Amino acid sequence: MAKDSSDLFGALFDPPSPTRTVPVLVPMPAPGPYSYSVPEDMVVETGSVVQVPLGPRQVFGVVWDDAGEKSVDPKKLRPITKSFECPPLKAEMRRFIDWVAAYTLSPPGLVARMALRAPAAFDPEPMIEGLRLTEGRPERLTPARERVMELAAEGHGWTKSGLAHAAGVSTSVIDGLVKQGVFETVFLPAPPVVAEPDPDYVEPRLEGPQKQAASEILEDVRKGGFHVSLIDGVTGSGKTEVYFEAVAETLRQGRQVLILLPEIALTAAFLERFQDRFGAKPAEWHSDLSPRMREKVWRQAVTGEVKVVAGARSALFLPFDNLGLIIVDEEHDPAYKQEDRVFYNARDMAVVRARIAEFPVVLVSATPSVESQVNGSSGRYNTIHLHTRFGDAAMPDLHLVDMRRHPPERGGFLSPVLLRGIGKTIEKGEQALLFLNRRGYAPLTLCRVCGHRFQCPQCSSWLVEHRFRNQLQCHQCGHNEPTPDHCPECGTFDHLVACGPGVERIAEEVEKHFPEARTIVLSSDLMGVKRLRLELEAIVKGEADIVIGTQLVAKGHNFPLMTLVGIVDADLGLANGDPRAAERTFQLLSQVTGRAGRTGLKSHGLLQTYQPQHPVMQAIVSGDASAFYEREIVEREKAVLPPFGRLASIIVSADTRGEAETHARGLRAAAPQITGIMLLGPAEAPLALIRGRHRFRLLVHGRRNSDMQSFLRTLLANGPKERGSVHVQLDIDPQSFL
C-alpha cells in the first residue's frame, strides 16, 4: 500500500541517525583507546578486530570496552576502514589485557599487540582447491585407479596430494582421472595445523604415587572454576604423565588447553611424548615458527579448531575460543620472564588469566620457586608431591669435590676426581655430562705484557672469546670482532691469554684427556634450534660419550645412558648480589644433576666447589630440598623480600652519563612519601653501559600489601618528563638485577 504524503515528507526530512562512535585500542604506546566512527554499512561489536587510520598509516586494532562518555564530535572522527572476519576478542581476554597493562604499568595497546601477533590471520584462510568423485568412470580401470576411487567413494573432497598419498599412488594417476572427468574441482576449507588429540588414545601408565597425584589433579579439573595446583616432583618422577591426565579431562569437556614450556629446545621431545599419549601432536607457538604457520595457529586457536597449544611465554596471549586449562611446566624457570617492551612473568600472568576466566592452572617443577612454595604452604595452591622417580629409578649419588683439596692440573679446570669419574663412565659405555653455565672459550682475554683487557666498545662488559668461530663477542649487545694475534695497546704478538673457562675450553681439556671419546658441545651460540634438536637426538641414541653444555642441558631432557653429571663450577651462580642467587643456583644444579640415572642405571653427580660448606651445596648433596627452602623462606621473610615484600625496578638510560644521572635524581626527588614503601638509589647499574647507553638504577622496595603501582604512577607524574635521549624503563617484580 502506498504511503501518504505526510509519510513521504517525514522520510525526506527526518534528521539522519547519529553516527556511532567506538573506542579502538591500537598497538601503540598510547595511554588508552582512540575514538573512531563506524560507517553505516559496517557491523562491529566490542572485541571486533578492525583496521583504522592512524596518522598517514593504516593499523589494526580492537574495538574496546567503553570507558565512559566522551564529548567527541563524531564528524571530527575518522571512520574505521575495515572490520576483519575473525571472532571478536572475548570479554575475559580484554579484561586480561587491561589487567596486565595496569599491573605492569605498560600501555594497553602494547599488551593488546601481543594478542594480535598475526595480522595476516585476521581474515579467514582462503579455501584450497580440491577434488570430488563424479559419476564418470575411467576408460581403463587399473589397480591404482581403483584404490583412488574407492577412497573417494564416500563423497568427501580431497586435496590432490592428500588423495595420492592416502592411496599410495603418484599424482599423475589423479591427473589422468581428472582429465577423464572422473573427478571435479571443488573448494575445501584449509586443513587443521594438527589432528585433534584423542584423550583416550592410550591408557596411561601410572604407578602408585602418580595415580594418587593424577586423581587429585582430575578432581580439581572436574570441579571447574579457578584454582592452582602445584606438582612438586623430583626429576624423573612422572610429572608430565600426571598433568597429561588433566589435559585429557579438559579435552573430554570440549575445552582448549595451553601448555607453556620455557625453551624451544624442549618442544621436540615434548611433542613426541604428547603424540604417544594422545595420538596427535599439539600445535606449536614460539619464535622459531614460520610466519605462515604462526597465522594458521593463531586463526585456529581463536576459532577453536586447535585444541592444544604448546608454546613459549608469548602463547599466553593467544586469544583462545574456549580455554579451559593452563599448564606451566618448569614453572621456576627464569625464561618465563619477558624483559622487553612489556615486562611480565608468564607464570604469574597465567594464574591471573585463569582467575579471570575461572578455570584451573597447574604449575609443575622439580624445584619450585620460593613464591610457589610459600603459596603452597599457605594453602593458596594445592601442592601435590612426587618424592620418588617413576619405575623406582634411583636418584644419583651426589658428592662435593673440594677444589682446595683436589685442584686441577696447571692450566686445567677439571679435578682429578672428576676426570677419573668420566673415564670409568665411558669405559662402561655410558655417558657423562659436564655442565658450565658460561658460553664461549673464555670470559676474558688480556695481554700479559701491558694488562690490556678486551672490552666491548658499546657496553661495560668484557668480550668473550669464541675460539671455534675465531671471534671476540659481547654477550650483551652482540658486538663481535676477529680474535687478534697481537695486543692493540702495546702491539706485542703471542702474549694474549684467555682467563677462565667457557664450555669450548672445557671441551678442549676433555679432548686432551679423552681423545677417543665422542664429544658434543651444547650451547645456544653454537647452533640453531634445528641443529640443537639433532644433537639432542644423537645423545638420546647414545651417539656421544661426553656432553658439555650450558643451562640448555638442565631443562627437562631425558638421556637414557647418562650416568655421570659433573658440575665444573658449582659456585658460579653465587658470585653476585642477586637476592635470588641461592635459589637459582640450587634450582639449576638440582635440575642438571637430575639428568643422570633417569632410566634406572646407577648414577653419580660430582660438584666442583671452593665453598663445600655453603648451604646450597649442602642442600643439594643431602637431597634435603625442604631444609633449603625453609632456610631461604626465613631469610626472605626477615628481609621483606618477595614473596613477603614487593620490588620494582626503574632503569633510566640515556646517550650520556650526565643525562641519565640527572633524570634519575629528578625521579628520586619526585617520589611521594608513602608508609611501607622506600626508594633506593639512584646508582649506576651493574651493567652501566649497554649498546652505548648509560644506565642508572632505582629500586622500589615495599611491603607485600603496598600499592606499588600507585606509588610509581605518582612518581612518574611528578617527576621530570622523558626528553632527548632519556628513556625510563619499569619492571614490576624484577628477576634480573643487572
Side-chain angles (χ1 to χ4, degrees):
M1 186 172 72
K3 294 183 179 181
D4 61 28
S5 58
S6 63
D7 290 335
L8 293 173
F9 182 85
L12 289 171
F13 293 97
D14 275 347
S17 58
T19 304
R20 183 185 171 204
T21 65
V22 293
V24 176
L25 193 61
V26 296
M28 304 289 290
Y34 294 124
S35 295
Y36 287 87
S37 64
V38 182
E40 290 183 7
D41 59 345
M42 184 180 292
V43 177
V44 297
E45 60 181 294
T46 307
S48 291
V49 182
V50 296
Q51 180 178 297
V52 295
L54 186 67
R57 299 179 296 138
Q58 293 287 330
V59 300
F60 59 85
V62 185
V63 177
W64 213 243
D65 300 85
D66 197 352
E69 291 295 323
K70 291 184 179 179
S71 54
V72 182
D73 183 357
K75 294 179 182 178
K76 295 182 179 179
L77 296 179
R78 302 173 76 179
I80 295 174
T81 310
K82 178 181 180 180
S83 178
F84 291 99
E85 294 182 43
C86 71
L89 264 62
K90 292 180 175 291
E92 61 198 41
M93 188 65 192
R94 301 194 303 275
R95 283 180 59 204
F96 177 60
I97 290 171
D98 280 335
W99 197 99
V100 173
Y103 186 82
T104 62
L105 297 179
S106 303
L110 292 186
V111 183
R113 181 180 183 178
M114 296 192 293
L116 303 172
R117 293 290 293 271
F122 296 161
D123 278 324
E125 191 167 5
M127 304 284 276
I128 60 174
E129 191 173 292
L131 300 172
R132 185 168 57 202
L133 194 65
T134 67
E135 298 296 327
R137 288 294 175 265
E139 297 172 0
R140 184 169 60 88
L141 189 61
T142 64
R145 287 178 171 179
E146 188 173 5
R147 290 199 303 274
V148 171
M149 293 172 64
E150 284 177 1
L151 276 173
E154 295 180 3
H156 301 303
W158 288 78
T159 63
K160 182 168 70 172
S161 59
L163 182 56
H165 178 74
V169 301
S170 68
T171 54
S172 61
V173 175
I174 312 294
D175 290 334
L177 292 172
V178 171
K179 286 180 182 178
Q180 296 185 39
V182 177
F183 284 96
E184 63 180 350
T185 300
V186 294
F187 287 92
L188 308 171
V193 290
V194 287
E196 187 166 331
D198 178 1
D200 302 307
Y201 180 74
V202 166
E203 185 73 22
R205 287 181 58 243
L206 300 174
E207 297 178 346
Q210 289 79 26
K211 282 183 180 178
Q212 178 60 34
S215 67
E216 288 190 53
I217 289 286
L218 285 173
E219 184 180 349
D220 288 343
V221 173
R222 286 167 182 158
K223 278 191 303 189
F226 167 71
H227 47 267
V228 184
S229 299
L230 170 64
I231 302 179
D232 176 4
V234 298
T235 54
S237 61
K239 297 184 294 294
T240 303
E241 283 69 24
V242 169
Y243 74 65
F244 274 173
E245 295 314 293
V247 173
E249 182 60 27
T250 306
L251 292 173
R252 293 186 192 104
Q253 295 173 1
R255 306 193 70 181
Q256 293 168 290
V257 179
L258 170 61
I259 303 173
L260 293 178
L261 302 168
E263 293 283 349
I264 300 171
L266 290 179
T267 55
F270 175 82
L271 296 178
E272 290 180 10
R273 291 179 72 176
F274 189 94
Q275 186 173 28
D276 291 342
R277 170 63 179 83
F278 295 99
K281 292 182 179 180
E284 297 179 63
W285 182 269
H286 49 70
S287 59
D288 201 46
L289 279 187
S290 67
R292 182 74 177 130
M293 183 56 69
R294 180 177 290 268
E295 294 162 18
K296 285 176 173 284
V297 174
W298 190 94
R299 185 184 293 111
Q300 293 181 22
V302 78
T303 60
E305 294 172 76
V306 162
K307 299 302 180 186
V308 182
V309 173
R313 59 176 181 254
S314 60
L316 183 62
F317 290 88
L318 281 171
F320 289 91
D321 173 57
N322 187 20
L323 187 59
L325 175 69
I326 298 178
I327 309 286
V328 185
D329 206 346
E330 307 288 355
E331 63 87 25
H332 67 279
D333 200 294
Y336 284 124
K337 176 72 176 187
Q338 173 160 303
E339 295 178 329
D340 180 38
R341 291 182 179 242
V342 179
F343 286 59
Y344 68 91
N345 189 311
R347 176 199 64 212
D348 299 340
M349 296 304 107
V351 173
V352 171
R353 183 163 186 186
R355 185 182 66 192
I356 289 173
E358 290 293 319
F359 60 72
V361 59
V362 179
L363 310 180
V364 186
S365 178
T367 53
S369 61
V370 168
E371 287 85 349
S372 294
Q373 290 279 14
V374 171
N375 283 327
S377 61
S378 67
R380 293 188 190 93
Y381 296 174
N382 173 34
T383 304
I384 299 167
H385 295 284
L386 289 169
H387 296 297
T388 59
R389 283 185 158 181
F390 184 79
D392 294 324
M395 296 294 291
D397 294 328
L398 302 180
H399 302 278
L400 297 177
V401 179
D402 189 339
M403 297 294 278
R404 298 167 302 181
R405 297 178 56 194
H406 306 284
E409 64 181 41
R410 184 177 179 84
F413 300 92
L414 303 179
S415 74
V417 177
L418 182 53
L419 289 171
R420 284 196 298 272
I422 296 171
K424 291 177 181 178
T425 299
I426 60 179
E427 280 176 15
K428 292 187 291 184
E430 297 168 357
Q431 293 173 325
L433 167 65
L434 298 181
F435 170 78
L436 176 63
N437 201 20
R438 189 179 271 157
R439 293 177 287 159
Y441 183 84
L444 171 66
T445 301
L446 58 79
C447 174
R448 280 183 291 197
V449 175
C450 70
H452 173 74
R453 299 184 177 196
F454 288 82
Q455 183 173 345
C456 176
Q458 298 293 315
C459 304
S460 51
S461 61
W462 307 121
L463 292 178
V464 177
E465 181 181 359
H466 288 257
R467 190 160 292 187
F468 291 177
R469 298 203 305 260
N470 195 34
Q471 281 186 346
L472 297 176
Q473 184 175 356
C474 173
H475 287 174
Q476 300 301 322
C477 69
H479 167 84
N480 63 79
E481 54 191 61
T483 303
D485 55 4
H486 66 280
C487 174
E489 190 71 24
C490 66
T492 307
F493 282 82
D494 300 326
H495 276 73
L496 299 180
V497 60
C499 300
V503 286
E504 294 177 18
R505 193 168 193 176
I506 298 302
E508 185 178 85
E509 186 174 351
V510 164
E511 288 171 7
K512 170 187 168 186
H513 289 283
F514 307 101
E516 302 301 319
R518 299 168 297 174
T519 303
I520 286 181
V521 178
L522 294 181
S523 178
S524 59
D525 58 339
L526 292 177
M527 57 192 72
V529 173
K530 289 182 179 178
R531 183 182 164 192
L532 176 59
R533 288 178 176 175
L534 291 174
E535 298 280 33
L536 291 171
E537 288 175 10
I539 297 168
V540 170
K541 293 174 183 176
E543 296 172 2
D545 301 311
I546 303 172
V547 180
I548 303 161
T550 61
Q551 63 181 353
L552 277 175
V553 301
K555 307 193 179 193
H557 306 297
N558 187 14
F559 303 134
L561 295 176
M562 192 74 67
T563 59
L564 174 67
V565 170
I567 309 297
V568 176
D569 187 353
D571 307 324
L572 183 60
L574 299 171
N576 61 55
D578 187 338
R580 292 188 176 89
E583 176 192 5
R584 284 186 175 158
T585 301
F586 173 78
Q587 290 167 338
L588 185 58
L589 299 185
S590 298
Q591 292 281 343
V592 174
T593 52
R595 297 312 104 202
R598 293 167 69 96
T599 54
L601 296 173
K602 186 171 178 56
S603 59
H604 304 273
L606 298 174
L607 290 78
Q608 296 190 155
T609 176
Y610 288 93
Q611 306 177 67
Q613 298 307 314
H614 194 287
V616 170
M617 303 304 155
Q618 292 299 313
I620 292 171
V621 295
S622 68
D624 192 356
S626 59
F628 169 77
Y629 279 113
E630 285 173 14
R631 176 185 173 278
E632 189 70 11
I633 288 168
V634 167
E635 293 296 323
R636 296 272 188 99
E637 193 167 13
K638 284 180 183 176
V640 198
L641 288 172
F644 304 101
R646 301 193 62 197
L647 295 175
S649 165
I650 306 173
I651 295 288
V652 180
S653 63
D655 289 345
T656 66
R657 187 182 186 279
E659 280 183 290
E661 184 176 13
T662 300
H663 194 93
R665 293 190 179 280
L667 289 177
R668 172 63 189 252
Q673 298 299 313
I674 296 180
T675 303
I677 295 182
M678 62 178 175
L679 182 62
L680 307 173
E684 273 194 316
L687 288 174
L689 184 70
I690 293 182
R691 296 180 177 88
R693 293 182 63 80
H694 297 264
R695 305 165 77 241
F696 275 77
R697 182 183 185 90
L698 299 104
L699 189 66
V700 186
H701 182 205
R703 296 173 185 159
R704 182 169 186 163
N705 59 354
S706 301
D707 190 348
M708 191 74 73
Q709 282 76 6
S710 292
F711 176 89
L712 290 167
R713 287 191 192 97
T714 304
L715 182 149
L716 293 175
N718 296 341
K721 307 307 174 193
E722 296 180 35
R723 291 187 177 88
S725 67
V726 173
H727 176 65
V728 177
Q729 172 185 292
L730 295 180
D731 184 0
I732 308 294
D733 306 327
Q735 297 288 311
S736 170
F737 291 84
L738 297 178

